Amino acid sequence: MGDLKAALPVVLDLTGRLVAVFGGGPVTGRRLRTFLDEGALVRLVSPWICEEVHDLMVEHPERVTWLQRDYAGPTDLDEAWLVHTATGDPDVDSTVSADAAGRRLWCIDATDSRGTAASIPARTQVSTPDGTVTVAVHAGGDPVLSTTVRDGIDLALRSGGLDLRRHRPRTSGWVALVGGGPGADGLLTARGHELLASADVVVVDRLAPRGVVSRLPESVRIIDVGKTPGHHPVPQDRINAILVEEAERGHGVVRLKGGDPYVLGRGGEERLACEAHGIPVEVVPGVTSAVSVPAAAGIPLTHRGVAKAFTVVSGHEQIPTLPPGSDHTLVLLMGVSTLRDSANSLVAEGRSSDCPVAIIERGFLPTQRVTIGTLGDIADVALFRGVESPAVVVVGDVVRLAHDPR
Ligand code: SAH
């Protein structure tokens, strides 16, 4: 049965306040870190200290004072706001506790998890666009139960399982440019999921992870600004304006993009547009298709003895002069329609027409397909196979490391 011991959670601001700490072992080490993270000053009384405590003292010499001796009586509690005792000797700990009580001081007795006057709950902090949330769980002194519950709440907050959307004042809208990765749900970052859990409006690209979008609650407005090659339904200026307008209405806006926002993704433009209107913007990196889609086909962009460097280029641009050897990997994004020109110009610049080329269509999606050829024949092979965008083109010897192409 659960115990009925009174347990009122209180939030303490320890900044600049003295905590008297007794004992120098690993339990103290963990708590010392907590107190220091909270900005406390610490006076540590212990004849010896473990390595973790030592390291923390070295890290924060100005905030930790070590008195190398045993507990010497109530004067050791002078000036403290809070007491922590974990000497390893239950008698000493209960003496410290009793002396603290005599001075009306709250004392955390680490050896007496149920009898102690004060205790630190299992905690976690999650930063949301509306502020940092601290979750504290106390389970009658049962540390396993409290950490299990804490972990469950933490997961719900971070995974987006706990819906944090709420009415915001008009002045507190925000925009987050979130890199969605190459399309597989699992390749969206934890921070991306956290922000989606707070978003009122999600502005999506064609290549953003659709599974994640489809699971958003119905109350979330989805604005699809997806572009298909050669067809731009929503011009960039209009996308920028949508972000600004929605945030100015007080909405939390996630701009969910394919890959990484800053890799051929116009993330910089969108950030500047928001900042020009004084809107707070967070940019969350994503797993770029330039690196991950080749990986989905088993192709590492660098490999010891095969390639040491790579260049990422948009197929819409003139290919810049590159080292001609096929030990320098070239990655083309948006490169399907211009494939023939790109292959010809690479050969004209000195690459061998035998240089291997892979095209990975729809990386990480169930319909992923890999086409392999050489600079000399890839354009014809791609035409024959009906290769379509979105696809990543990889040129270089690393292509030989690809998994069996389908
Ligand atoms: N910011 C994105 C790139 C946007 S440009 C990123 O970092 O990944 C769009 C191009 O990305 C597409 O034309 C294609 O070349 C590539 N691409 C994105 N996702 C892809 C996927 N799942 N499979 C194949 N290519 C992809």
Side-chain angles (χ1 to χ4, degrees), residues 182 207 258-260 263-265 288-289 293 333-334 360 362-363 389-392:
L207 294 173
D260 182 275
V263 177
L264 299 174
T288 179
S289 63
V293 169
L333 300 187
M334 302 179 276
I360 306 101
R362 299 172 296 275
S389 178
V392 173

Side-chain angles (χ1 to χ4, degrees), residues 360-379:
I360 306 101
E361 295 168 87
R362 299 172 296 275
F364 292 98
L365 302 181
T367 55
Q368 174 176 317
R369 180 171 71 156
V370 182
T371 298
I372 306 261
T374 62
L375 274 181
D377 68 14
I378 193 68

